[in-house]
């Protein structure tokens, strides 16, 4: 590879790192081309899975300000550049690795923070973004319902007190009218 091609490859990788919300570093030794194609399909539209040269990926990561891959760029390496939901991509990698143990997740980064293999597994165990948002919305709705009931409690107590007083006045008023 000529120097100009290396500079272009580093610039392209740096751009991918900078435009990604997360990246997951994997070793694909032992996977066939068909299996790698299947992995790319399983990651869906949220990620781009690319085989990279270790030295060039290391330079690009450093230039992008990412130090999460230090010491991990060894052996046949591919990176899943995540542009959407990182949880979905982590789940896709975990599920694929269960069926194809040759895929090894080495680490990654998300939002500027380094993730080790255990961190990516924890990410994969999270529920999807939609489910988490639905839970937050449900909790907010429950809180609002409780607040509405709390604010309505003094009003309902006032209404009950007014009804009791009206009944008392009617009871007292009818006794006074009967005495006259």
């Amino acid at each position: 590879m000529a120097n100009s091609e290396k500079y272009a490859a580093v610039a392209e990788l740096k751009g991918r790192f900078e435009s990604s919300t997360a990246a997951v570093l994997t070793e694909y030794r032992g996977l066939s081309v068909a299996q790698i194609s299947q992995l790319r399909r399983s990651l869906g539209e949220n990620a781009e899975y690319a085989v990279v040269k270790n030295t060039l990926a290391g330079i690009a990561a450093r230039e992008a300000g990412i130090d999460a891959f230090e010491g991990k760029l060894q052996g046949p390496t591919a990176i899943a550049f995540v542009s959407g939901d990182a949880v979905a991509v982590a789940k896709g990698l975990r599920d694929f690795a269960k069926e194809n143990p040759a895929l090894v997740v080495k680490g990654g980064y998300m939002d500027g923070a380094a993730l080790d293999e255990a961190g990516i597994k924890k990410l994969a165990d999270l529920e999807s973004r939609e489910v988490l948002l639905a839970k937050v919305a449900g909790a907010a709705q429950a809180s609002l319902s409780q607040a509405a009931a709390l604010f309505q409690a003094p009003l309902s107590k006032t209404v009950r007190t007014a009804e009791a007083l009206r009944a008392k006045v009617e009871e007292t008023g009818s006794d006074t009218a009967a005495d006259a």
Side-chain angles (χ1 to χ4, degrees), residues 7 41 58 74 136 138 140 142 147 176:
Y7 287 123
R41 282 190 302 275
Q74 298 167 352
V136 168
T176 339

Side-chain angles (χ1 to χ4, degrees), residues 6-157:
K6 289 179 183 177
Y7 287 123
V10 168
E12 180 185 348
L13 286 171
K14 179 183 174 191
R16 284 185 182 175
F17 280 124
E18 291 174 342
S19 66
S20 298
T21 57
V24 181
L25 189 66
T26 65
E27 181 176 320
Y28 63 92
R29 185 187 327 258
L31 293 178
S32 68
V33 172
Q35 289 171 317
I36 291 174
S37 296
Q38 179 186 359
L39 173 58
R40 285 185 173 123
R41 282 190 302 275
S42 72
L43 296 179
E45 297 176 5
N46 290 327
E48 183 180 340
Y49 191 72
V51 174
V52 296
K53 292 193 176 288
N54 293 333
T55 305
L56 301 180
I59 293 168
R62 278 191 299 280
E63 286 183 6
I66 299 166
D67 59 356
F69 299 143
E70 293 296 322
K72 295 180 181 176
L73 289 166
Q74 298 167 352
T77 303
I79 301 175
F81 294 98
V82 182
S83 59
D85 186 10
V87 173
V89 173
K91 285 178 191 246
L93 288 168
R94 177 198 60 198
D95 295 343
F96 186 85
K98 282 181 185 177
E99 295 175 15
N100 302 283
L103 180 72
V104 177
V105 175
K106 296 180 180 182
Y109 86 96
M110 186 169 99
D111 297 328
L115 294 172
D116 59 0
E117 185 181 355
I120 293 170
K121 285 181 181 180
K122 286 180 185 177
L123 190 63
D125 291 339
L126 287 177
E127 294 173 332
S128 71
R129 182 177 189 271
E130 291 78 19
V131 171
L132 291 174
L133 287 174
K135 285 185 175 185
V136 168
Q141 183 179 8
S143 296
L144 290 174
S145 296
Q146 288 175 345
L150 181 65
F151 292 135
Q152 192 174 8
L155 177 63
S156 61
K157 184 177 180 184

